Amino acid sequence: MTADQPLKSVTRHPGRAADRILLRTARAGGAWTVLLLVTATLSTVAQILFPALLGKALDAVLDGAGGSRWVIGCLVAVAAMAAADALFELAAGVGAARGVALLRHSMLGSLLSWTGPGAARSATGDLVSRLVGAAGEAGAVAAVLVRAALSVVPAVGSVIALALIDPWLAGTFLLGFPAVVVVLRTFTRRMSDVSTRYQEAQGRLATALLEALAGRRTIAAAGTAEAETRRILRTLPELSRLGHGMWQAQTGVAGRSALLTPLLEIGVLSVAGFALSAGRITAGEMLAAAQYVAIGSGVGMTTMLLGRLARARAGAERVRGALSRPALEYGARTLPPGPGTLELRDVRVVAGGETVLDGVDLTVPGGSCVALVGASGSGKSLLAAVAGRLADPDAGTVALDGVPLRRLTREDLRSAVAHAFERPVLFGETLGEAIAWGTGRPVDEVPAERIERAARAADADGFVRRLPENYRTPPSEAALSGGEVQRLGLARAFVHRGRLLVLDDATSSLDTVTEHRVGAVLTGALRDRTRVVVAHRAATAARADTVAWLDGGRVRRVGPHRELWRTEPAYRRVFRGAADVDADAAADAEADAADVDV
């Protein structure tokens, strides 16, 4: 378990993981959960004592004894219930906030710690639904659990009180009570199933909505707004049906309880009437008996609690689904000094039930550049992810300067490896901060000159300076093209001073001239770093010291691009004509990049 995933261990053991999540969440309230238990117990005890005190007060009045002490007792019981309920609500609010925070913190730690193929691929909308809705339902479970656990006490207390008044009253009550238990059990099962399916449907609706919002330009260009609206809303009939199902379950149990409770009251009061006429009980005891029957058989509060518990358990099950994603765990070793030699030995990765990488052996000498080349689906991006430990192989070893990546501390691993991606996401309040983010330090701790050097190396400095606020421009206010965003992503990787640089198709959106400028930096100013580059262009592969040609999840050959190009027709077909580049533009780009320093 890592610090970012406090609930991770809960999902590691077989059994009822959702129930363990609920219990762990309830314990997160600490002293507030204890206060919940104390106040709920006090309120329940006062509720059970009140009918007896009321009966005593009535008997005292009828006997002409005044009964003031019993009336005071009734008032004390009412005051105790009111005070206990107020404190209970306060503790419930604080405990729920802590429980929800625990769940969301742990879920975020799990979701953000793994980007590899071994993770369950849930849609973004569904994940947001789990973080917001499911965590909200499950996080407030402490108050529900306490109330539900104590809900049997009024029934048991009522039976004992009836037995103390007259055993025949308790016997009459117990004859009809099993029917109440059956009604509640049926309701709980139905609510649990419907609640789970309702939350899943909400997740699908959120997913469809976020997909449409992300692709709204495509939708507008295609003129398919109405069709997309229908696609988004097609889950509504199911939500309506499931919502009606929950309503029907609640109204059904309410109707049955409305029938059962009066029948029990009639039965017990009939027996009490005979006992009163026979002189075995008093009028006050008969009033108390009526109160105890209502308390013991009333399923309204119990129904509400069971409904909330069913929703909380459904939420916990969806939380478990997010927590059960594989998460990277780190070791305790630190990296020794070294040039950044990368070694992959017999690496195998399985994704979606298929072996994507199988028996990969590759050594990248420190300070050299290797291009990963292969047809679509050959495993290039996956190999790049494994090389920088964004994913772990199912078998085999990946080591940097002789140390397996699994054994490195988080700090050593992430300070040694930098990444750039095909579709980078810019974090930070300004473009300067978005670049400095690659250092893992606040922007005010990173020299502006260092940020600008990285931007120049990525050929981003020019367009950034043309913006009104240059490096202080918020990313949301900069109308950036795909290539410009890629260059900022490269700058973020270049500002990182680790010994290994992994570029996963990070130049695919660049024009030919810009790509050659960046390529010249990769093979020039960055030659002190080990570079792993996913290459789709022949020019990119040609600049690398060596090429690892992947085919069918295996390394088919390793060698210089020129040699592979000359001897392997299948290798040439990988690029599909991408080798036709403007030689003059390439030469000019190399000259421009010669003076760049990182």
Side-chain angles (χ1 to χ4, degrees):
M1 183 176 67
T2 69
D4 294 326
Q5 298 152 276
L7 284 178
K8 191 66 182 178
S9 61
V10 176
T11 64
R12 293 178 180 170
H13 307 288
R16 304 172 71 88
D19 294 336
R20 291 196 298 274
I21 287 173
L22 292 180
L23 291 174
R24 177 67 179 83
T25 303
R27 290 201 299 271
W32 293 99
T33 301
V34 175
L35 182 60
L36 283 174
L37 185 59
V38 171
T39 54
T41 302
L42 177 61
S43 178
T44 301
V45 170
Q47 181 186 20
I48 293 173
L49 289 177
F50 179 75
L53 295 172
L54 185 62
K56 291 291 186 181
L58 177 61
D59 284 339
V61 170
L62 293 176
D63 292 340
S68 58
R69 60 173 179 160
W70 298 111
V71 173
I72 293 173
C74 290
L75 294 176
V76 170
V78 171
M81 282 189 283
D85 289 344
L87 287 174
F88 182 91
E89 292 302 323
L90 172 63
V94 178
R98 291 188 174 185
V100 172
L102 172 70
L103 293 176
R104 289 175 177 165
H105 179 71
S106 196
M107 290 171 72
L108 278 173
S110 179
L111 295 174
L112 297 179
S113 68
W114 184 265
T115 59
R121 294 193 175 187
S122 300
T124 302
D126 181 65
L127 294 177
V128 172
S129 173
R130 293 172 192 253
L131 278 167
V132 178
E137 292 282 6
V141 74
V144 181
L145 283 176
V146 169
R147 287 288 197 197
L150 291 175
S151 64
V152 299
V153 176
V156 174
S158 297
V159 172
I160 294 173
L162 289 173
L164 292 175
I165 295 172
D166 189 301
W168 286 99
L169 300 181
T172 304
F173 179 81
L174 289 174
L175 285 176
F177 192 71
V180 176
V181 174
V182 170
V183 169
L184 292 176
R185 186 176 181 183
T186 303
F187 167 75
T188 303
R189 286 180 174 177
R190 185 175 180 185
M191 278 295 294
S192 180
D193 176 62
V194 174
S195 295
T196 299
R197 289 188 286 143
Y198 187 86
Q199 291 183 20
E200 290 173 350
Q202 283 182 316
R204 291 195 295 274
L205 177 63
T207 295
L209 177 59
L210 287 180
E211 287 174 350
L213 291 175
R216 58 189 181 275
R217 294 176 63 188
T218 302
I219 294 170
T224 58
E226 292 185 4
E228 280 302 304
T229 300
R230 289 193 297 270
R231 184 182 72 87
I232 295 168
L233 300 181
R234 68 186 177 189
T235 310
L236 287 182
E238 182 182 3
L239 280 173
S240 176
R241 178 175 57 81
L242 293 171
H244 278 83
M246 287 191 285
W247 176 80
Q248 289 169 358
Q250 291 172 333
T251 55
V253 74
R256 292 181 178 88
S257 65
L259 176 64
L260 288 172
T261 301
L263 289 176
L264 277 174
E265 289 179 343
I266 291 171
V268 172
L269 289 178
S270 297
V271 174
F274 285 110
L276 178 62
S277 62
R280 296 201 309 271
I281 65 173
T282 65
E285 289 174 330
M286 184 172 181
L287 174 62
Q291 294 284 317
Y292 282 123
V293 173
I295 292 173
S297 62
V299 296
M301 177 60 73
T302 305
T303 300
M304 182 193 73
L305 291 172
L306 291 177
R308 290 182 60 187
L309 192 58
R311 294 195 299 273
R313 195 176 187 283
E317 185 61 36
R318 286 175 58 74
V319 168
R320 183 202 63 78
L323 293 176
S324 61
R325 295 163 62 98
L328 291 177
E329 296 187 354
Y330 297 86
R333 292 189 60 178
T334 57
L335 270 175
T341 300
L342 179 69
E343 297 176 277
L344 293 89
R345 293 286 175 263
D346 198 23
V347 167
R348 180 170 63 87
V349 179
V350 178
E354 297 183 2
T355 301
V356 183
L357 295 176
D358 188 12
V360 172
D361 289 303
L362 181 65
T363 298
V364 185
S368 66
C369 178
V370 61
L372 304 180
V373 172
S376 178
S378 60
K380 303 184 298 298
S381 291
L382 182 54
L383 183 58
V386 168
R389 211 194 169 205
L390 292 181
D392 277 335
D394 295 284
T397 304
V398 183
L400 184 62
D401 285 326
V403 182
L405 298 186
R406 289 177 183 265
R407 298 184 182 178
L408 290 174
T409 65
R410 182 200 300 266
E411 293 74 19
D412 259 44
L413 175 65
R414 297 309 168 199
S415 64
V417 185
H419 295 266
F421 305 102
E422 179 183 8
R423 297 182 180 88
V425 177
L426 303 180
F427 297 96
E429 299 296 324
T430 65
L431 294 180
E433 187 173 346
I435 296 173
W437 198 84
T439 66
R441 295 160 55 193
V443 66
D444 55 2
E445 295 181 12
V446 182
E449 182 183 350
R450 181 177 171 186
I451 295 173
E452 293 166 8
R453 282 202 310 268
R456 284 195 296 273
D459 202 30
D461 182 71
F463 74 79
V464 171
R465 290 192 181 279
R466 287 194 296 270
L467 297 171
E469 298 182 72
N470 54 73
Y471 286 93
R472 294 184 296 277
T473 303
S476 59
E477 297 181 11
L480 302 174
S481 67
E484 289 170 339
V485 172
Q486 265 197 353
R487 281 185 268 174
L488 289 170
L490 286 166
R492 182 173 61 195
F494 293 167
V495 80
H496 188 288
R497 290 179 173 170
R499 63 184 76 177
L500 174 62
L501 178 60
V502 181
L503 273 61
D504 183 2
D505 203 14
T507 61
S508 59
S509 297
L510 305 185
D511 59 76
T512 302
V513 174
T514 302
E515 193 270 341
H516 276 278
R517 286 175 178 162
V518 173
V521 171
L522 282 173
T523 55
L526 295 172
R527 60 182 175 272
D528 60 327
R529 308 181 197 181
T530 304
R531 289 138 290 154
V532 176
V533 181
V534 174
H536 287 274
R537 294 176 177 175
T540 305
R543 291 179 181 277
D545 298 308
T546 188
V547 170
W549 176 22
L550 276 72
D551 187 18
R554 292 177 174 271
V555 177
R556 184 164 173 176
R557 277 193 64 181
V558 176
H561 167 78
R562 185 183 301 275
E563 178 184 335
L564 296 178
W565 185 270
R566 186 181 67 253
T567 60
E568 298 282 356
Y571 177 79
R572 291 197 298 270
R573 287 195 294 271
V574 169
F575 296 100
R576 297 177 182 175
D580 300 327
V581 297
D582 188 328
D584 293 333
D588 292 342
E590 290 180 7
D592 291 342
D595 297 329
V596 173
D597 184 27
V598 180

